[in-house]
Amino acid sequence: MERIESHASFGGTQEVWRHRSHVLGCDMRLGVYLPPQAAEGPCPVLYWLSGLTCTEQNFITKAGAQEHAARHGLILVAPDTSPRGEGVPDADGYDIGLGAGFYVDATRAPWSSHYRMHSYVANELPPLVEGHFPAGGARAISGHSMGGHGALVLALRHPGRYRSVSAFSPIVAPSRVPWGEKALGEYLGEPREAWAAWDACELVRAPRAERLPIRVDQGEADEFLATQLRPELLEAACRDSGHPLQLLRRPGYDHSYYFVASFIGEHIAFHAAALNVNAAAS
């Protein structure tokens, strides 16, 4: 682990770290916000997964999350959205390859040698974070767009791993929308039945002991709402399976970080409640 940035922020520090990922076979960067409470002892961790074209920088510079994390005493961990570096495959366009890992474990060449973002977030990051920072074992997860898809899938596929899950404008049914069909087809190939393991709508229908409540915020002026996001599919799947869902439709808001920044405080408070931490007195 090598620290390459450190900035004082709301009594804590916003840092960026670089490390070698054995799962992805490349160097990775991640943003880590340490709240002031981290100087006194372990804090719970909220993982944030960003969307298409993003790096670890988008969330830490645009969301305004540090003030809220400092109030509640949460560590924020924001990894990159895909493997990067020499020898890592890429493709033309923005929705496959670098910046578009889709938080799956690819099984199809040439992607399968590096594109294993699901295993990276689920299995490699937690022991790394908990071994190098004052982080306790209590975890929550959230994300935006492609990262919202990743957060939902990670929480649903790993019962007990996270205490709460939320998403902004998530791709909830990647096997039924153009972005997802392209990505799953490239990374996983055929048969399409294998795609169900990476589709939140399919996962909530599966029988499981844990029914972790899902919170989703969706802007009604989002240009991708009708074609790529389709939150009504998740709403129907949760209703049919009895899975708890809070879907908040926000009039006038689009797909941008202006939307994320407007409601990130509510999401962090939602996760803080699940993680059993109290806001500091103002």
Side-chain angles (χ1 to χ4, degrees):
M1 289 282 282
E2 177 191 7
R3 188 172 64 184
I4 55 179
E5 288 186 31
S6 181
H7 311 280
S9 180
F10 294 99
T13 56
Q14 177 61 63
E15 304 177 348
V16 177
W17 290 76
R18 179 167 51 217
H19 74 99
R20 185 70 182 178
S21 168
H22 299 292
V23 169
L24 304 177
C26 65
D27 288 345
M28 289 293 286
R29 292 160 58 112
L30 63 149
V32 178
Y33 177 69
L34 299 174
Q37 295 88 335
E40 302 171 3
C43 296
V45 180
L46 173 59
Y47 290 86
W48 173 269
L49 307 183
S50 292
L52 286 166
T53 75
C54 293
T55 69
E56 82 289 340
Q57 291 290 327
N58 294 72
F59 178 69
I60 67 176
T61 59
K62 295 180 179 181
Q66 293 88 347
E67 179 180 8
H68 306 289
R71 182 179 305 115
H72 292 282
L74 297 185
I75 294 174
L76 302 177
V77 174
D80 202 347
T81 49
S82 74
R84 297 182 194 265
E86 186 176 352
V88 174
D90 195 11
D92 293 334
Y94 69 94
D95 51 359
I96 294 290
L98 301 188
F102 264 83
Y103 304 100
V104 302
D105 286 347
T107 57
R108 183 170 177 262
W111 314 105
S112 55
S113 59
H114 294 282
Y115 283 73
R116 300 180 56 80
M117 287 298 294
H118 181 87
S119 288
Y120 173 68
V121 176
N123 301 324
E124 188 170 21
L125 271 189
L128 185 72
V129 168
E130 291 159 26
H132 283 81
F133 304 101
R139 310 178 195 99
I141 192 163
S142 186
H144 172 233
S145 192
M146 177 186 74
H149 143 74
L152 295 176
V153 169
L154 277 148
L156 291 167
R157 287 185 55 150
H158 297 276
R161 183 74 57 87
Y162 307 99
R163 296 191 184 178
S164 53
V165 58
S166 72
F168 289 84
S169 312
I171 304 169
V172 301
S175 62
R176 287 186 275 176
V177 299
W179 276 343
E181 289 181 313
K182 182 177 180 180
L184 297 182
E186 280 287 330
Y187 294 141
L188 305 177
E190 299 294 341
R192 286 178 66 107
E193 288 77 11
W195 299 6
W198 308 100
D199 187 307
C201 288
E202 298 299 326
L203 290 169
V204 298
R205 295 182 189 276
R208 62 187 69 246
E210 184 183 55
R211 292 286 179 182
L212 192 65
I214 296 170
R215 171 179 174 142
V216 171
D217 277 50
Q218 175 62 61
E220 292 189 332
D222 192 316
E223 61 269 42
F224 305 114
L225 177 59
T227 57
Q228 305 284 9
L229 307 179
R230 303 194 62 189
E232 73 278 2
L233 296 177
L234 180 64
E235 191 172 38
C238 288
R239 181 178 61 247
D240 293 346
S241 62
H243 196 110
L245 169 69
Q246 182 183 27
L247 175 58
L248 299 169
R249 292 179 170 88
R250 304 292 191 175
Y253 286 90
D254 59 19
H255 199 72
S256 70
Y257 263 88
Y258 294 110
F259 172 47
V260 174
S262 297
F263 300 104
I264 191 65
E266 292 185 19
H267 279 243
I268 288 178
F270 166 77
H271 292 294
L275 294 163
N276 296 317
V277 295
N278 298 314
S282 57

